Amino acid sequence: MQVKGFGAGYLVDDVAATTRFYADVIGLAVTVELDWFASFNAGAPGYEISFVQRGHESVPAGYRAAETAGVMFGLVVEDAAAEAKRLEAAGVELVTPVVDEVYGQRHFYVADPNGVLLDVIEMIPVDPEWAAANTPAS
């Protein structure tokens, strides 16, 4: 399979509310917006995140009523702390505070209107001791 892009999507009850969150709060660019479907560019050509109205006929019959569970997305940003402040100022509750991880991430979580977690990540230097203990030998 020669993959030319990547799209993640999930079923939602309120496409309009989900669209407003990802467009107005997160700041992703809308590429398609219908009453039953919305898609956003996730930062690079060919990378999309989409939302489909739960129960829509385009979804295979056995999956139309499926609940979304166990889904989370990572969004890589330049400055996680600044994004956390911006989102809090916009009234978005942080699920976790901003933390620095030894494996090279500064990040925090928020939840979208459907309860899907967004891991907002800034890449930072990896702790040298952690890297030495966790990097395979060449």
Side-chain angles (χ1 to χ4, degrees):
M1 178 181 304
Q2 183 66 33
V3 177
K4 295 183 179 184
F6 179 79
Y10 60 95
L11 302 175
V12 301
D13 291 319
D14 191 338
V15 173
T18 304
T19 298
R20 296 288 53 89
F21 178 81
Y22 281 88
D24 299 344
V25 178
I26 299 301
L28 296 182
V30 177
T31 56
V32 178
E33 185 174 2
L34 308 170
D35 62 342
W36 62 273
F37 175 85
S39 191
F40 297 81
N41 178 266
Y47 290 86
E48 299 274 322
I49 184 170
S50 302
F51 313 100
V52 180
Q53 180 70 49
R54 191 178 321 282
H56 193 267
E57 63 198 29
S58 66
V59 176
Y63 296 87
R64 291 181 188 159
E67 291 293 322
T68 302
V71 176
M72 62 184 244
F73 296 103
L75 302 173
V76 179
V77 299
E78 289 294 322
D79 186 339
E83 290 298 335
K85 287 180 185 174
R86 183 186 69 78
L87 291 171
E88 285 183 307
V92 176
E93 183 178 338
L94 302 186
V95 174
T96 63
V98 177
V99 296
D100 288 359
E101 305 287 4
V102 294
Y103 49 81
Q105 291 184 355
R106 174 174 295 132
H107 69 126
F108 65 95
Y109 288 92
V110 296
D112 81 1
N114 309 286
V116 171
L117 285 175
L118 301 178
D119 187 3
V120 181
I121 305 161
E122 172 187 347
M123 303 311 293
I124 61 173
V126 174
D127 177 90
E129 289 180 25
W130 183 90
N134 291 281
T135 303
S138 299

